Each structure stands twice: as structure tokens, then as C-alpha cells.
Amino acid sequence: MENLAQMQTLAGEKIDSGLIQSYLQKLPETALRFGVRVLLALLVFFIGTQLIKWVCKILKKSMQRGNADVGAMQFLTSFVRIALYIVLVLFIASGFGLDAASVVALLGSAGVAIGLAVQGSLSNLAGGVLILLLKPFKVGDYIVTANGNEGAVQEIQIFYTKLTTGDNRLVIIPNGDLSNSSMINVSAMPNRRVDISVGISYQADIRQAREVLLKLLESDDKVLADMDKKVYVDSLADSAVVLGIRFYVLSEDYWESKWRLTEAVKYALDEADISIPYNQLDVHLNPQG
């Protein structure tokens, strides 16, 4: 019995040493094959990325020739790019023995779980589609969102919209938030109304002040002549009669016109000797006190 056990042990050692030796002999060849596959995969990935860029470039140029909306062009280009990268990754994975059809089937069977995990991203994707279909704004418009963010629309992507603020900051907002909340599109209308308030002294002549301010509006070339212009008494404040000045300009001229005419109102009233009062406190001392 002992001899039999020793023979079996020796046989097992010979088998194990033979397997190890065979594995070591094949290791360089296996490593070489794997290295070649990795190099081919990197080459395919590089060529694929260049092809994807070329396809996106052709798509963008064709949409530009068709005068397509800039937002739709950005959205579709981004969508095609992501889809092509997914196809490229599956193609490379198939070169390592991974069946692409099995991967697709696995993703399909796990669709519910994936949907729950990325429901926020899916909401943003749906929001982007709604923005492109309904067009509440387009690239270049100045919008104000419900949560206080505002800026010019720079880019509409699949999941996010980028705004550039007046002080040149970049604001990135999920499309789902934009499509499910209220917002103000400042650039939607070609013309925009400007409101300026100024206080004049109670001793001043309101009719004269109105005439001076209307003349100022009529002499400004940015004020739209065919739109309504008004100068009215807005309120009777504690120390001043507050006049409201209302006129219309092109939307792109809004801020420049508001700043320039606010300054011009001060100069015009000064030239007409109409004072603009300010809050003050008069203190009377009792000489006998």
C-alpha cells in the first residue's frame, strides 16, 4: 500500500510539473497574441475616433447648409457622437471574444434596473428633446430660469444646456430642470420696454419736467419712434415726485440704452434747473434749551 501511494504521488508530481512546464512554454506565445490584440484594439480605437469626428463634422456641415437650428445641430451631433462611441466600444470588445449580441441582450434584460439608476439622465435627455421640439429658447437667447440663473444660451447638449452670464461665467443646467420649470426668455421678442424712475422736487413744474424728458426720448436714435413713449407721475414719495419714464428699444440695445438714458436724464433735468431731491434730515435747535 505504501508503495502504491508513493507511485501515485510521483505520478501526480510528474503531471503537475508537466502542466506547469507546458504552460510556461506557451506563455510567451499567449502574451504575444494578447499584446497584438491590445495593439490592434488601440489602433481600431484611434481610427474609430477619427472616423467619428469626421462623421460628426460632415453631419454638422450638412445641417449648416440646410440652415438647421443651432441647438438642434448641437443636440444631434452630440447624440450621434455618443451612439458611435458605444458601437465602437462594442466592436472592440468583440475582438476580445465578447459577444456584442449577448451584451445587447443583457442590457435589454436589465433595462428596468438601468432606467431606475439613470432616471435623472433620462429625464435630462427627454428634456433636451422637448426643448428642441418646442423651442422655448434657442442658442443666443438670453434666458432667466426659475432658480435665478440667467445668461445667454451658448450650447444645447443631450443632457445639459450651457449659459454664459454677463460677467463671463459658464452655467450648466440640466435639461430636465429647464423643461419642467418656468423661465423667462428675454430675447424672444424683437423689442423690449425700458423703465426708468426719477424723483423731482415738489417745487418743480411737473409739466416742464415731462416736456424735457419726452424731448430727450425723441432725440435718442435708439428709442423706437413708432412705439409708445410715456413720462408719467409714478408716485408721490416723502421727499420727491417720482416720475416714470417708459419707452421701447431693440432687445439687443436694452442695457446700453437704459444706462445711457439714465445718465442723460440727470443731465437734462440739471440743464432745465429741475432739482432731484435726496433724503435729508432737518434739525432745529431751541436756543433757549
Side-chain angles (χ1 to χ4, degrees):
M1 294 295 291
E2 293 181 359
N3 293 334
L4 180 60
Q6 291 177 356
M7 292 177 61
Q8 290 176 348
T9 302
L10 292 174
E13 291 177 354
K14 289 181 180 180
I15 293 174
D16 292 341
S17 60
L19 290 174
I20 294 174
Q21 187 176 4
S22 175
Y23 175 78
L24 291 175
Q25 290 176 351
K26 294 180 179 179
L27 182 59
E29 182 181 356
T30 304
L32 179 61
R33 288 181 183 176
F34 183 77
V36 170
R37 286 188 178 183
V38 170
L39 290 176
L40 289 176
L42 292 175
L43 179 62
V44 170
F45 182 79
F46 175 76
I47 296 174
T49 54
Q50 299 303 313
L51 288 175
I52 290 172
K53 292 179 180 178
W54 179 76
V55 170
C56 292
K57 187 176 181 180
I58 294 297
L59 177 63
K60 185 176 180 179
K61 287 185 177 180
S62 63
M63 295 184 71
Q64 287 176 341
R65 285 195 296 267
N67 295 323
D69 181 72
V70 177
M73 181 174 60
Q74 293 173 346
F75 183 90
L76 185 59
T77 303
S78 180
F79 181 83
V80 170
R81 183 185 297 110
I82 291 176
L84 290 178
Y85 269 111
I86 292 175
V87 173
L88 177 61
V89 171
L90 291 177
F91 178 77
I92 293 174
S94 64
F96 287 90
L98 185 64
D99 189 3
S102 300
V103 174
V104 173
L106 180 61
L107 292 177
S109 62
V112 176
I114 295 174
L116 292 174
V118 297
Q119 56 182 345
S121 298
L122 293 177
S123 175
N124 293 333
L125 175 61
V129 174
L130 288 175
I131 289 172
L132 292 177
L133 291 177
L134 302 179
K135 295 184 178 180
F137 59 83
K138 63 182 183 298
V139 174
D141 285 353
Y142 192 95
I143 64 173
V144 181
T145 64
N147 57 4
N149 290 315
E150 61 178 282
V153 179
Q154 181 184 20
E155 190 174 353
I156 303 174
Q157 295 185 344
I158 293 181
F159 302 111
Y160 299 97
T161 293
K162 296 181 179 180
L163 306 182
T164 303
T165 63
D167 55 353
N168 203 30
R169 291 180 297 167
L170 183 64
V171 180
I172 302 175
I173 305 175
N175 289 334
D177 294 344
L178 288 174
S179 62
N180 293 322
S181 60
S182 60
M183 69 176 177
I184 301 173
N185 188 340
V186 179
S187 307
M189 306 300 292
N191 306 325
R192 189 173 175 187
R193 192 183 75 193
V194 182
D195 291 282
I196 300 175
S197 296
V198 61
I200 63 173
S201 171
Y202 270 96
Q203 285 74 36
D205 188 344
I206 296 177
R207 297 182 185 88
Q208 181 190 5
R210 182 185 290 113
E211 182 180 348
V212 169
L213 295 176
L214 283 173
K215 184 178 179 180
L216 174 65
L217 296 181
E218 291 170 356
S219 64
D220 192 282
D221 58 349
K222 294 295 184 180
V223 177
L224 299 178
D226 56 344
M227 302 290 287
D228 189 25
K229 298 183 285 292
K230 284 185 178 181
V231 178
Y232 56 93
V233 177
D234 186 55
S235 64
L236 302 175
D238 293 337
S239 60
V241 177
V242 180
L243 299 181
I245 307 169
R246 181 173 291 178
F247 57 94
Y248 287 84
V249 297
L250 296 176
S251 294
E252 58 266 26
D253 296 331
Y254 176 82
W255 287 111
E256 191 271 337
S257 298
K258 182 178 176 67
W259 296 330
R260 186 185 68 257
L261 284 170
T262 299
E263 181 180 351
V265 164
K266 173 66 168 59
Y267 296 147
L269 292 177
D270 287 345
E271 290 177 0
D273 199 21
I274 299 174
S275 63
I276 300 176
Y278 52 88
N279 291 331
Q280 61 184 9
L281 178 64
D282 294 331
V283 179
H284 300 276
L285 298 177
N286 187 355
Q288 299 177 355

